[in-house]
Amino acid sequence: METTNVVLTGRHRGEVELFSDERKAGKMDISVSGDKLTVYHTEVDTAYEGRGFAKLLLNKLVSYARENGLMIVPLCPYVHTQFKRHPQEYADVWAK
């Protein structure tokens, strides 16, 4: 079973973590400053590639941003590509 959590490890930095059967399968490196959530990097363990785990991380990131009134700055190439491919889906959280 997959679970995702947003963990802020410092005052402003942290990650979105994805666990599969209690093993860390992926993460997104993020920071929060004011009303901006910046995502720098998305990483999925090679053992879990091709299973849609990056999309699960993205869904959690977007949900967290919406719940907390944050705008996402997509410096991560994966997130930026998804935002460009589906601009209407992310228009409410995309800090262009």
Side-chain angles (χ1 to χ4, degrees):
M1 178 177 176
E2 287 72 51
T3 59
T4 54
N5 297 303
V6 174
V7 178
L8 296 175
T9 54
R11 288 190 56 200
H12 303 287
R13 296 193 67 79
E15 57 186 36
V16 180
E17 300 175 330
L18 171 66
F19 288 86
S20 180
D21 296 326
E22 311 224 1
R23 183 170 174 231
K24 191 170 186 179
K27 69 179 181 104
M28 286 180 158
D29 295 324
I30 63 170
S31 68
V32 178
S33 181
D35 67 346
K36 299 281 192 277
L37 186 161
T38 303
V39 57
Y40 302 97
H41 177 70
T42 300
E43 181 177 320
V44 174
D45 187 299
T46 55
Y48 297 98
E49 287 179 355
R51 293 173 53 182
F53 283 10
K55 181 69 172 177
L56 291 174
L57 286 163
L58 178 59
N59 290 344
K60 184 63 174 186
L61 177 82
V62 170
S63 293
Y64 182 82
R66 287 179 175 144
E67 291 166 8
N68 291 280
L70 301 170
M71 297 298 287
I72 298 171
V73 179
L75 298 182
C76 166
Y78 170 76
V79 176
H80 190 252
T81 298
Q82 292 305 311
F83 278 25
K84 284 175 50 179
R85 285 185 184 159
H86 310 283
Q88 292 173 324
E89 185 176 343
Y90 302 112
D92 63 321
V93 294
W94 186 2
K96 293 184 181 180

